[in-house]
Amino acid sequence: MGALIEARGLTKRFDSFVAVAGIDVDVFRGEVFGFLGPNGAGKSSTMRMIGCVSPVSSGTLRVLGMDPAVDGPRIRARLGVCPQENWLDEELTVRENLLIYGRYFGLPRRTLADRAAELLAFVQLTDKADAQVADLSGGMKRRLTIARALVNEPEIMLLDEPTTGLDPQARHLVWDRLIQLRQEGVTLVLTTHYMDEAEQLCDRLVVMDGGTIVAEGSPLDLIRAHATREVVELRFVAGRQQALAAEVADLADRVEVLPDRVLLYTQDGDAAANAVHQRGLSPPGILVRRSSLEDVFLRLTGRTLVD
Amino acid sequence: MDTALRALEYWLLSYKRTWRGTIVSSFLVPFLYLAAMGFGLGSFINAGAGRAALGGQTYLQFIAPGLLAATAMQTAAFESSYPVMGSWKWIKTYYAMLATPLRVSDVLIGHLLFVAFRVLMTSMVYLVVITVFGAVSSPWGVLAIVAGLLTGLSVATPTFALAVRSERDTVFSMYFRFAILPMFLFSGAFFPVSQLPVVVQPIAYATPLWHGVHLARMFTEGTLSPGWIAVNVGYLCLWIAAGTWWAARAFRRRLVT
Ligand SMILES: Nc1ncnc2c1ncn2[C@@H]1O[C@H](COP(=O)(O)OP(=O)(O)OP(=O)(O)O)[C@@H](O)[C@H]1O
Ligand SMILES: [Mg+2]
């Protein structure tokens, strides 16, 4: 079984600026694939090429076995796109937004009426069906955009930052729906700059930075390969980090100094934390946690990913 | 073509929300224009030397087809300016459409078809009103709608291009002030272009509106000249073809990045 999405040396240039610098990606049927990266990494540019709305500058791209440059409309007929901005019509009602979008796919009105009702129930917007989109909250608009992307029963769903800007409750609702879609066999491709989102949802992901892929694998693989099992976070008074980092360097496999804290990467966090106390350093804040993709990213790019 | 009709459907759906509010004004405006200019101003002109200059017809009969074509132009210019810019800049309807099987040409043609529909509606309302006023002296007058449609599209297509090329909507206030309004006033709708200084007459004759007015006037008066019909229709079609080409290029540059 070949890949649903297959990119080789995929490149996007805007004049002389290189937004995506020759990436290789394979996405297989039924998996949840993530592009993780900070602002400007080239995530949306990649998604737009896969979505067949942005021409490939160089390299090859096959989506559903077809070439976007030749079969754009035929590919797009089988994709569901949830763009970074919603692109909803705020003056139309929730239901009208679904119906008209379905018409772009040439679906008959009767089919659409039923499907709109199902999709509104799926994203829990049934009671808002006749409300104007302008009156919806950010989370509701995002759910409507997801419902809209499903109107043509797509094989692949492209979600560009599906939960950015949503409150925790709204995020979890979106995650639930995405997990359910995955169980129904829809292939999901998403971008995010949230580590926890990537860890929760993605079977496989690539970490992007400056238009290139700096690592790829499952969330667990990435953590194993690029971080230790546990991390001790020490919060010191600002300005003292460097000096103190030297004093604790031998307690960890690796030490990372950030503006507001020192991170100790170690297999046994509690032991390292105890050792810090025994040396009488007693930082004002100390936290032992499992390592996360955040640490992987820090390791790979030397930067934190928080907004 | 079927795919362009899907894009048209969006515009009809959003128009459905507002058209009831505009129905009264769409009859009222031509009524007011014709009452004020046709009767009010006309009573001066008809009594004086003006009547001879108009070829013996009443002023009402003279301006009625002119107003029809000029209003078709205004409707087209308005519908092709802010709504087109909004569709890529503010509401981003075009981008939503392009994520589906629709192509750039479908998005352009679908929206142009809607503008054509709006121009047709406006022209039809005008035809009804001027007929009621007794300003249509020939059954050929029905074809004034076609003159309105061609005039509208000849202006709509380059306006589409302008609205997609320009970064900011400030361009429209200039466009309406220095292109649409002068055309409205000086293209033979309200007085014959021969009354203008000789040096500016060629400019007036080169405007699409002059050809639209001339065409509409032949139909409502029933003074058909096959040669002139060919010239007017041909010239308007030339504008439509060039405008469509320019708009298609602008759409591709803006929407495919
Ligand atoms: N149409 C365009 N013209 C010129 N430059 C562009 C264009 N689109 C994107 N870029 C540039 O390409 C780079 C990558 O942008 P892209 O939107 O793909 O990043 P991203 O990873 O999606 O970032 P974000 O997290 O902010 O959404 C950025 O530096 C951006 O300024
Ligand atoms: Mg982006």
Side-chain angles (χ1 to χ4, degrees):
Chain A
M1 175 76 227
L4 285 192
I5 300 170
E6 192 183 310
R8 292 291 173 272
L10 183 62
T11 302
K12 185 71 202 181
R13 275 185 292 272
F14 296 106
D15 298 322
S16 60
F17 179 78
V18 181
V20 180
I23 61 171
D24 296 345
V25 170
D26 287 299
V27 179
F28 298 95
R29 192 177 288 280
E31 73 177 342
V32 181
F33 189 91
F35 289 93
L36 176 70
N39 291 126
K43 305 182 298 293
S44 295
S45 301
T46 305
M47 291 293 257
R48 282 164 27 78
M49 286 191 281
I50 297 172
C52 308
V53 292
S54 172
V56 172
S57 302
S58 63
T60 60
L61 177 64
R62 292 287 173 278
V63 183
L64 293 161
M66 292 177 275
D67 180 354
V70 180
D71 286 313
R74 275 172 61 197
I75 300 170
R76 293 198 299 270
R78 293 160 64 187
L79 299 180
V81 178
C82 176
Q84 189 166 351
E85 302 169 64
N86 288 322
W87 303 337
L88 294 164
D89 190 313
E90 306 244 328
E91 306 210 322
L92 295 181
T93 68
V94 168
R95 193 200 314 273
E96 283 170 334
N97 265 279
L98 284 183
L99 295 178
I100 193 64
Y101 200 76
R103 292 294 296 154
Y104 299 157
F105 287 88
L107 300 169
R109 285 189 187 77
R110 195 173 314 168
T111 315
L112 278 173
D114 295 340
R115 199 167 294 167
E118 285 165 25
L119 287 172
L120 288 176
F122 178 68
V123 296
Q124 300 183 9
L125 285 174
T126 304
D127 53 337
K128 292 283 179 188
D130 297 311
Q132 265 193 21
V133 171
D135 298 334
L136 300 187
S137 71
M140 290 175 178
K141 284 181 191 169
R142 209 62 186 143
R143 269 141 59 199
L144 174 57
T145 306
I146 290 172
R148 187 182 64 173
L150 290 168
V151 82
N152 59 325
E153 300 184 316
E155 289 163 63
I156 306 176
M157 221 184 155
L158 305 176
L159 300 131
D160 199 352
E161 300 191 17
T163 66
T164 298
L166 303 191
D167 66 32
Q169 201 187 343
R171 280 180 87 196
H172 278 280
L173 217 160
V174 169
W175 286 357
D176 281 350
R177 299 300 97 166
L178 296 183
I179 289 165
Q180 194 172 333
L181 284 171
R182 187 202 163 192
Q183 283 164 355
E184 289 166 16
V186 183
T187 306
L188 303 180
V189 180
L190 59 91
T191 74
T192 182
H193 23 161
Y194 297 121
M195 299 296 167
D196 54 341
E197 181 157 283
E199 274 189 70
Q200 285 269 336
L201 296 177
C202 296
D203 299 311
R204 262 175 352 108
L205 60 99
V206 294
V207 181
M208 277 187 92
D209 189 36
T212 60
I213 292 177
V214 291
E216 67 177 298
S218 71
L220 209 62
D221 288 343
L222 286 172
I223 292 167
R224 276 206 200 105
H226 301 283
T228 52
R229 209 167 68 88
E230 293 186 328
V231 186
V232 185
E233 294 198 9
L234 307 174
R235 289 176 192 273
F236 289 109
V237 180
R240 291 194 57 209
Q241 281 95 323
Q242 284 295 355
L244 284 157
E247 291 189 42
V248 296
D250 59 310
L251 299 178
D253 299 355
R254 189 159 60 83
V255 177
E256 200 76 58
V257 183
L258 299 183
D260 59 337
R261 63 212 140 115
V262 174
L263 305 182
L264 305 182
Y265 288 92
T266 169
Q267 295 306 325
D268 187 345
D270 286 327
N274 281 334
V276 170
H277 279 299
Q278 276 162 14
R279 291 186 185 182
L281 294 171
S282 57
I286 185 161
L287 168 75
V288 179
R289 60 169 173 82
R290 277 180 47 222
S291 61
S292 70
L293 282 176
E294 183 85 47
D295 303 302
V296 173
F297 190 81
L298 182 65
R299 170 81 200 208
L300 291 170
T301 67
R303 284 177 292 126
T304 48
L305 219 159
V306 281
D307 284 322
Chain B
M1 197 61 211
D2 163 52
T3 39
L5 293 180
R6 299 181 196 165
L8 169 64
E9 210 174 312
Y10 164 79
W11 293 104
L12 293 174
L13 177 67
S14 46
Y15 184 56
K16 212 165 91 179
R17 287 182 353 94
T18 53
W19 74 276
R20 273 185 206 88
T22 62
I23 193 90
V24 173
S25 74
S26 65
F27 277 96
L28 191 65
V29 171
F31 178 86
L32 291 176
Y33 262 109
L34 286 163
M37 307 196 77
F39 288 127
L41 190 57
S43 63
F44 281 99
I45 294 164
N46 295 339
R51 183 136 194 182
L54 300 178
Q57 59 190 328
T58 65
Y59 188 58
L60 179 73
Q61 286 168 326
F62 178 79
I63 59 158
L67 274 172
L68 184 149
T71 306
M73 172 194 73
Q74 274 187 319
T75 305
F78 182 78
E79 291 285 348
S80 313
S81 54
Y82 293 95
V84 170
M85 183 172 274
S87 300
W88 68 263
K89 194 176 168 72
W90 302 308
I91 310 175
K92 312 218 172 193
T93 314
Y94 290 161
Y95 292 104
M97 290 177 174
L98 289 173
T100 74
L102 301 192
R103 296 157 303 181
V104 175
S105 55
D106 299 320
V107 170
L108 169 60
I109 293 169
H111 201 168
L112 266 176
L113 285 174
F114 175 71
V115 174
F117 163 79
R118 290 281 296 123
V119 170
L120 265 181
M121 299 295 293
T122 312
S123 301
M124 261 148 59
V125 168
Y126 247 96
L127 184 69
V128 168
V129 175
I130 65 177
T131 306
V132 168
F133 271 76
V136 178
S137 18
S138 156
W140 289 107
V142 178
L143 288 180
I145 300 174
V146 178
L149 177 63
L150 292 176
T151 310
L153 285 177
S154 69
V155 171
T157 49
T159 311
F160 265 61
L162 183 74
V164 164
R165 284 172 58 97
S166 309
E167 296 300 330
R168 263 172 280 281
D169 65 352
T170 45
V171 70
F172 294 137
S173 60
M174 306 280 281
Y175 178 62
F176 283 104
R177 231 170 281 167
F178 297 112
I180 298 300
L181 184 62
M183 214 176 359
F184 185 79
L185 293 173
F186 298 108
S187 295
F190 300 101
F191 57 87
V193 169
S194 56
Q195 305 291 311
L196 287 171
V198 176
V199 284
V200 296
Q201 284 183 18
I203 303 175
Y205 289 127
T207 61
L209 181 56
W210 183 81
H211 291 264
V213 169
H214 190 261
L215 191 62
R217 201 165 274 148
M218 279 193 286
F219 290 137
T220 57
E221 289 174 1
T223 52
L224 305 171
S225 143
W228 269 115
I229 291 178
V231 167
N232 295 152
V233 170
Y235 189 72
L236 291 172
C237 287
L238 207 68
W239 270 83
I240 295 170
T244 305
W245 175 83
W246 193 36
R249 207 170 75 133
F251 266 57
R252 231 158 252 129
R253 287 202 178 161
R254 172 69 69 188
L255 300 174
V256 183
T257 55

